[in-house]
Amino acid sequence: MSACKRLLYIVKHRGIWPSIWRRNVTTWSPVGAAFNAKPHRRLELFEKNVGLFGVPELSSPAGFEVTTKRALKDTQELVDKVCSSPPGAVTVETFDQLSDGLCKVADLADFVKVAHPEPSFREAAEKTCIEIGTVVEKLNTNVDLCRSLKNLLDNKEVLAQLDPETRKVAELFMFDFAISGIHLDEKLRKEAVKLHVKLLDLNNEFLMGSHLPNRIAKSAIPEHIHCHFATEGSFIQIGGLHAESSNDLVREVAYRIFLYPNADLMECLEELLKCRNKLAKLVGYESYAHRALQGTMAKTPETVMNFLQLLTDKLSERTAIDFEMIKDMKTKLNPLNAELMPWDPPYFSGVLRAERYNIEPSLYSPYFSLGSCMEGLNSLFTKLYGVSIMSEHPSAGEVWNDDVRKLAVVHETEGLLGYIYCDFFHRANKPHQDCHFTIRGGRQCQESGQYQLPVVVLMLSLPHPTKSAPTLLTPSMMENLFHEMGHAMHSMLGRTRYQHITGTRCATDFAEVPSILMEYFATDYRVVNQFARHYQTGQPLPQSMVARLCESKKVCGAADTQLQIFYSALDQMYHGKPQNRSTTDILKDMQHKFYGLPYTPNTAWQLRFSHLIGYGAKYYSYLMSRAVASMVWKQCFVQDPLNRDMGERYRREMLAHGGGKEPMLMVEGMLQRQPTIEDFVDALVTDLNPDFETFIMDSTS
């Protein structure tokens, strides 16, 4: 894109946002201004409603039924086409087109069902998800469809003519058939489809139930702590753990009540795990974990458990020291109730960090206005990849809430790469979890010759700007923003030929690497200094404050990591061979082996473990991805985090392929060596060393 055209693009798409807080020293860039403003409600009386994400039918909830019917009609036509065509590259292209048609409807609906403020839209989207999901499961056991792909893969002459990416996609589609039981006889295939459909319902039931609050009669808890919880008539509602509360009793009550077992949800989880195991055994796997880990970096449950055990062994002494420090702090603050309980570590480790390093969030927030953080991301991406993020004004009906921002991602020579919708602000009935959603995957459209641009949503839950200040982020909010933007750029820069492998559609234990790597950039002073300015004075964030923040993360880091190991081990046990004991008994055992703090009777933390749905048998992915990200950071970026050559190498080796290349091969390409499980463990342990700096101090400071 020429400089002239790029300038015209900026002028056209920057958007206009009023109520901007002016810096005294400098001014906001267009992207900074877009996020440091409180947008006025638009008058759309004379604008045509283009529908959600520019899909015309989705100007109303009824449009979901229309798009679903059209997608299913197109699906049948493509199935007929692929089944009647001779084997060749067109076979894979048609499979991908078929997949794309369903995913574009299902992925969009998957987002709308949880994020749209209007119940009618959420309900219509939910119906679409179920309908498309059912069709997908039937397609995965369609013998004629599978045969057309098998004919291709069995034809060595034709296969030899395919490029590596096309071959890989063909193999991935065949893998989908295999894990769905395509090799079974007709009766067992129907059984597999029934289990898949049942699991869709169970997954949804558990996911919804895991987020619902518990309630208890007001009379059952001391009156002086009622004010800490929501009330509903004569009941107290408890919707979280209140882990950061300084009141010991509030934390204990919240823990005991929020985690109190719900019989219906317990039955749902038990049935869900049984169905997963039954399906895995039906299609020929030893357990659901063995099925789920195919194609990942770890590959087998045995490797995962070896990784978790090695990490536990390496951290054991430091974990014990951390728990002793936390217990000492509790004893110091509350000598009459000094026993360390599961509801204590988050609060007292926070007290320890604050006491040692003075990292009160309110000291940092004025330097982290949302606009300045977006400017920082823009600057980082420009330096690493030659990519800019530009604010664009959405059309009428395109977004689901007035405060949603739209960004165009533009490369200096390749042009427009895709769009990111930023749903950053808190609202009622919006999930509090920070998420990245793929709405549309990138692909080369053989039917039009054009590249289908990827579209994603980043969802956070940040405070709204006020009359006197823009949205100010705490350090953890800023890191979460960088983390989620790492996912978004993976989607933008993974310009694959096929949407089936676009961006984050890759192995789960690799998908978190780009996002976690962004956390290292977010705490490196050379990066932070590019954007962290006081929103009123323009003064930069002092380097010493960044240093304290980095070091504070290592306080009780072993205990924090051990908690993640416990969750990962629990996930593996739930999805391993059936144990003929309750999920609570398994939790007690894993908590004793991998965490150390005692199990609290009459609690069922597993019923709040919502990651069991999206990350079933793969929760370890966060730890393994962090290990890889740590190795990439230390070997490739720690000397110069803004190095363009290294940024291009990172894009070329790790981001560009999506799921089109074996994940470990991508890691090896970046590190230029073959890492072992021991290397991963050492990387995580080294990150916790107090003497290891995640930034290089300026010698002139």
Side-chain angles (χ1 to χ4, degrees), residues 146 155 165 191 287 295 337 360 470 495 510 523 546 573 589 665 671 676:
C146 178
N155 191 322
E165 187 177 52
E191 176 67 17
S287 69
N337 183 25
E360 169 58 41
R495 302 274 288 184
F510 181 84
T523 51
V546 179
M573 294 302 291
D589 187 29
L665 291 178
L671 298 177
T676 64

Side-chain angles (χ1 to χ4, degrees), residues 107-317:
D107 290 343
L108 191 156
D110 202 41
F111 167 72
V112 171
K113 77 175 184 181
V114 298
H116 203 288
E118 294 182 27
S120 57
F121 269 95
R122 295 199 300 269
E123 290 163 11
E126 173 66 27
K127 186 177 178 182
T128 286
C129 287
I130 294 172
E131 195 168 349
I132 297 287
T134 301
V135 170
V136 168
E137 298 308 340
K138 289 180 178 178
L139 289 173
N140 283 340
T141 53
N142 184 312
V143 176
D144 293 333
L145 196 59
C146 178
R147 186 180 296 117
S148 67
L149 191 61
K150 190 173 187 301
N151 289 341
L152 170 66
L153 292 171
D154 287 347
N155 191 322
K156 294 182 180 180
E157 184 179 340
V158 175
L159 198 62
Q161 297 172 13
L162 302 181
D163 61 86
E165 187 177 52
T166 301
R167 263 198 314 275
K168 176 68 174 177
V169 172
E171 290 166 358
L172 288 171
F173 277 122
M174 183 54 78
F175 174 67
D176 290 339
F177 281 121
I179 64 172
S180 297
I182 195 69
H183 54 285
L184 304 173
D185 61 37
E186 186 176 358
K187 181 181 177 182
L188 292 178
R189 279 201 307 275
K190 287 182 178 178
E191 176 67 17
V193 171
K194 284 182 182 178
L195 284 169
H196 275 296
V197 172
K198 185 177 181 180
L199 280 168
L200 287 174
D201 292 334
L202 289 169
N203 287 345
N204 188 56
E205 182 184 344
F206 182 78
L207 198 57
M208 298 296 286
S210 68
H211 294 295
L212 291 177
N214 276 343
R215 66 179 194 165
I216 189 172
K218 287 181 178 178
S219 58
I221 64 174
E223 187 175 350
H224 71 278
I225 64 170
H226 287 187
C227 60
H228 293 275
F229 307 109
T231 59
E232 186 185 76
S234 60
F235 291 92
I236 293 288
Q237 273 205 341
I238 299 180
L241 293 173
H242 292 252
E244 304 302 324
S245 174
S246 60
N247 187 310
D248 287 358
L249 185 57
V250 168
R251 293 196 311 278
E252 179 178 355
V253 166
Y255 190 94
R256 291 183 182 277
I257 303 305
F258 186 61
L259 300 184
Y260 190 80
N262 176 298
D264 291 337
L265 200 58
M266 187 74 79
E267 185 179 343
C268 173
L269 176 59
E270 301 275 3
E271 185 63 21
L272 187 155
L273 295 175
K274 284 179 184 175
C275 282
R276 283 181 172 177
N277 181 68
K278 187 175 181 180
L279 179 61
K281 297 292 284 286
L282 185 64
V283 299
Y285 287 91
E286 194 175 331
S287 69
Y288 182 83
H290 285 86
R291 176 182 183 265
L293 295 177
Q294 287 283 302
T296 62
M297 286 196 291
K299 296 192 182 303
T300 69
E302 292 77 16
T303 300
V304 174
M305 290 306 294
N306 182 39
F307 169 62
L308 298 176
Q309 188 62 60
L310 280 174
L311 187 53
T312 296
D313 294 343
K314 281 282 184 88
L315 289 177
S316 60
E317 289 185 14

Side-chain angles (χ1 to χ4, degrees), residues 381-439:
F381 297 149
T382 300
K383 288 180 169 64
L384 288 179
Y385 315 120
V387 165
S388 299
I389 50 177
M390 301 179 181
S391 176
E392 181 173 312
H393 211 53
S395 300
E398 186 179 353
V399 296
W400 48 101
N401 208 62
D402 287 339
D403 57 19
V404 175
R405 314 298 208 258
K406 180 183 180 183
L407 297 177
V409 181
V410 183
H411 190 272
E412 61 190 14
T413 59
E414 298 169 31
L416 182 62
L417 298 182
Y419 293 102
I420 303 171
Y421 289 84
C422 301
D423 187 356
F424 283 173
F425 300 102
H426 172 78
R427 63 175 175 271
N429 299 318
K430 177 183 174 182
H432 290 288
Q433 201 167 2
D434 298 342
C435 297
H436 164 274
F437 292 86
T438 297
I439 304 299

